Amino acid sequence: MDKRVVFAVAGSGKTKRLIDELDLQKRILLITYTENNCAEIRRRVIARFGHVPTNITVCTYFTFLNSFCYRPLLLVDLKTKGISFDRPSEYSSRQKINSRERYVTPGARIYHARMAKALDAMGCIPALLNRIARYYDKVCVDEVQDFGGHDFNLLKHIVRAPVEILLVGDFYQHTYSTSTDGNVNKGLHDSYERFQRGLRDAGLIVDTQALLKSHRCSTTVCSFVREHVGVDIQPAQDRQSKIQVIEDKQQAADLFAQDATVKLFLREHYLYACHSQTWGASKGQDHYQDVCVVLNPTSWKEYKAGHLPRLAALSRNKLYVACTRARGDLYLMPEALLKGFRATP
């Protein structure tokens, strides 16, 4: 029974690999992290089959965690009335591992960061693995690099289910974590090797060779990402495009007005009346042609100094995501040039 995780670079065909693995003769659960990526995968499933077949379930991780895992197995026992996305209180953290008060707020909401741990602490893992085997023949997980905290530990349990397992992801596209809870798996994303080891120890074959090259990004963009962002990405074809750094105010205004070129901001893109998105939220988007990455003051300073890899890890990863959305040309400009277009919050 094949159980593997495939690590890949941006644009190398991770989602295509998942779609190609779909089989009308098998009951398949396809889990992803963000709503955007879930919608993109659903779109691709429909493009292949004309609809979402009844044997294929596409959902986000938290839909799976809440609807398939927590509610059938623990809701009656813990008697909760919803989910709390607040940080677990200090009081709850002092409670025993198998105590209800460790997982549930005084208002009877379960802490989202501890849902996975509650399943483990309350002895639900064997029942969960049986449920998976009862309803599915194969489990696929996209964006595996974004699993963290107790959710990463739950994932390691899930791969033990007697079904086929395929996980895909790009370690350097780790821009969010499913959850955090104190020091649980705190340093998991500090090292690519450590992250791989955690999955290998769970019994997975770790494949870093199948999806080595980007079909989306040109040779030019790949070179820029390697040299300036510090992520090793190679092109599948020798294809040239343009990299242009905008430092003139009029050029910036002209580019701002071009709807065909998406502008990607680190944050607060909604304050600019243009075709825009944030660096992180552009993950999973495969339809952009030319891309303008707008650098905030910190990243612009590091770019000018040649030190972009020194950005905080999450910011560096989001920048990598943003740059690798480009199928065509890549533009970079400092956000300061667009201050006249910024709306008041």
Side-chain angles (χ1 to χ4, degrees):
M1 190 171 293
D2 193 54
K3 297 177 182 285
R4 71 179 56 233
V5 54
V6 179
F7 287 106
V9 297
S12 60
K14 296 184 296 297
T15 303
K16 183 178 183 300
R17 171 69 181 266
L18 289 176
I19 300 302
D20 288 347
E21 291 276 335
L22 299 180
D23 185 339
L24 293 178
Q25 305 306 312
K26 295 179 180 178
R27 300 166 302 164
I28 298 175
L29 171 63
L30 207 167
I31 301 170
T32 187
Y33 179 36
T34 65
E35 293 285 353
N36 280 346
N37 208 36
C38 188
E40 174 64 16
I41 288 178
R42 188 179 296 274
R43 183 190 68 79
R44 293 201 189 190
V45 171
I46 293 172
R48 177 176 175 185
F49 297 108
H51 63 289
V52 179
T54 56
N55 66 302
I56 297 173
T57 302
V58 182
C59 65
T60 65
Y61 170 67
F62 279 115
T63 295
F64 165 75
L65 180 62
N66 183 43
S67 300
F68 187 86
C69 306
Y70 173 72
R71 292 179 67 85
L73 299 175
L74 271 183
L75 180 62
V76 172
D77 292 336
L78 295 187
K79 298 179 174 62
T80 53
K81 300 177 181 179
I83 301 173
S84 171
F85 289 90
D86 294 336
R87 183 185 299 274
S89 68
E90 292 184 10
Y91 170 79
S92 69
S93 298
R94 293 194 297 268
Q95 306 311 302
K96 293 181 179 180
I97 291 296
N98 60 353
S99 168
R100 179 179 185 274
E101 286 72 24
R102 187 174 182 87
Y103 305 98
V104 181
T105 71
R109 294 180 178 273
I110 186 166
Y111 289 114
H112 90 287
R114 290 183 176 166
M115 291 175 72
K117 180 60 179 177
L119 290 163
D120 193 1
M122 304 299 179
C124 297
I125 298 302
L128 174 58
L129 300 188
N130 287 337
R131 274 181 59 78
I132 292 172
R134 178 181 179 183
Y135 291 105
Y136 299 106
D137 303 305
K138 185 169 187 173
V139 175
C140 300
V141 180
D142 196 11
E143 307 292 1
V144 67
Q145 75 280 348
D146 285 330
F147 278 72
H150 297 298
D151 299 309
F152 185 78
N153 292 336
L154 181 63
L155 181 66
K156 291 194 293 183
H157 285 304
I158 289 171
V159 302
R160 291 168 30 214
V163 299
E164 293 179 49
I165 300 289
L166 174 62
L167 317 180
V168 300
D170 179 349
F171 179 77
Y172 294 104
Q173 288 195 58
H174 167 58
T175 56
Y176 307 98
S177 284
T178 50
S179 67
T180 56
D181 184 18
N183 291 322
V184 178
N185 284 318
K186 185 176 181 180
L188 179 66
H189 296 94
D190 290 349
S191 162
Y192 189 15
E193 289 71 26
R194 177 176 178 177
F195 194 78
Q196 289 185 46
R197 185 167 61 250
L199 294 171
R200 188 178 289 110
D201 291 346
L204 291 163
I205 297 170
V206 176
D207 183 348
T208 60
Q209 301 300 310
L211 299 174
L212 275 175
K213 297 183 177 181
S214 178
H215 296 275
R216 179 192 303 135
C217 300
S218 67
T219 304
T220 317
V221 170
C222 288
S223 295
F224 176 86
V225 171
R226 288 198 308 273
E227 295 169 13
H228 294 274
V229 185
V231 176
D232 186 13
I233 179 173
Q234 302 290 337
Q237 301 175 1
D238 185 9
R239 179 170 57 85
Q240 302 299 311
S241 65
K242 180 173 65 178
I243 304 283
Q244 184 174 354
V245 179
I246 306 295
E247 298 187 67
D248 176 77
K249 191 171 183 179
Q250 185 57 54
Q251 284 185 315
D254 292 343
L255 189 57
F256 181 84
Q258 294 180 17
D259 284 341
T261 302
V262 64
K263 269 64 70 174
L264 301 181
F265 295 80
L266 177 59
R267 56 178 67 91
E268 296 183 326
H269 75 100
Y270 51 83
L271 295 177
Y272 297 88
C274 65
H275 180 200
S276 67
Q277 186 52 274
T278 61
W279 296 355
S282 68
K283 182 164 62 174
Q285 301 301 303
D286 192 43
H287 62 280
Y288 300 134
Q289 184 64 24
D290 298 339
V291 169
C292 175
V293 176
V294 183
L295 300 176
N296 69 320
T298 298
S299 55
W300 177 251
K301 179 181 177 181
E302 297 292 10
Y303 169 71
K304 295 295 286 184
H307 297 315
L308 280 177
R310 297 199 313 197
L311 289 172
L314 286 182
S315 294
R316 190 275 307 270
N317 292 352
K318 289 178 182 179
L319 178 59
Y320 162 58
V321 168
C323 292
T324 55
R325 296 313 93 189
R327 287 184 170 276
D329 298 336
L330 176 64
Y331 300 88
L332 296 101
M333 73 166 73
E335 191 171 359
L337 288 179
L338 299 179
K339 62 182 180 181
F341 299 99
R342 183 183 172 94
T344 302

